[in-house]
Amino acid sequence: MPTKWVKFIIAVFLLPICGVLTQTFFTVFARATVTQRLWAGEEFWFFSLGRGAVADSFLFGLPRPILIYVFGHELTHALWVWLIGWSSEPGSASAQTADTW
């Protein structure tokens, strides 16, 4: 198990890599926004509005929407079980076969 100083040295060496990757991300995002009109797409606006809504809920101290998230997550499981053709009951989903493929 590495000690604190070994982890610190590794972290110092990783800082330039993190800086380059961060600068690359923002440069590519800015170019895509200007040249490919990323901001004009429907996906960008839906993502931005969702991100803004979550940021506002944290900013104004509203409770985190965990109930909605868990419901959507479990509904996704149930939808895929139904689409694949397995049986699904409220509260559980089980496979009829041992192997999907």
Side-chain angles (χ1 to χ4, degrees):
M1 198 79 179
T3 60
K4 279 186 159 183
W5 64 271
V6 174
K7 291 180 182 180
F8 179 75
I9 291 173
I10 293 171
V12 168
F13 281 113
L14 287 175
L15 279 175
I17 296 170
C18 293
V20 167
L21 290 175
T22 301
Q23 184 177 2
T24 303
F25 171 76
F26 284 111
T27 301
V28 169
F29 187 78
R31 287 183 185 165
T33 301
V34 174
T35 60
Q36 297 175 359
R37 295 178 41 113
L38 175 70
W39 53 269
E42 190 175 273
E43 297 86 0
F44 175 77
W45 286 107
F46 282 121
F47 177 78
S48 297
L49 289 172
R51 184 185 160 276
V54 170
D56 286 347
S57 70
F58 283 114
L59 181 66
F60 294 118
L62 299 174
R64 291 173 46 176
I66 292 178
L67 182 66
I68 295 171
Y69 169 78
V70 171
F71 179 73
H73 178 86
E74 295 304 322
L75 189 62
T76 303
H77 285 283
L79 177 68
W80 278 105
V81 166
W82 179 72
L83 287 173
I84 291 172
W86 293 343
S87 67
S88 176
E89 299 173 5
S92 70
S94 62
Q96 297 297 328
T97 60
D99 189 12
T100 303
W101 309 110

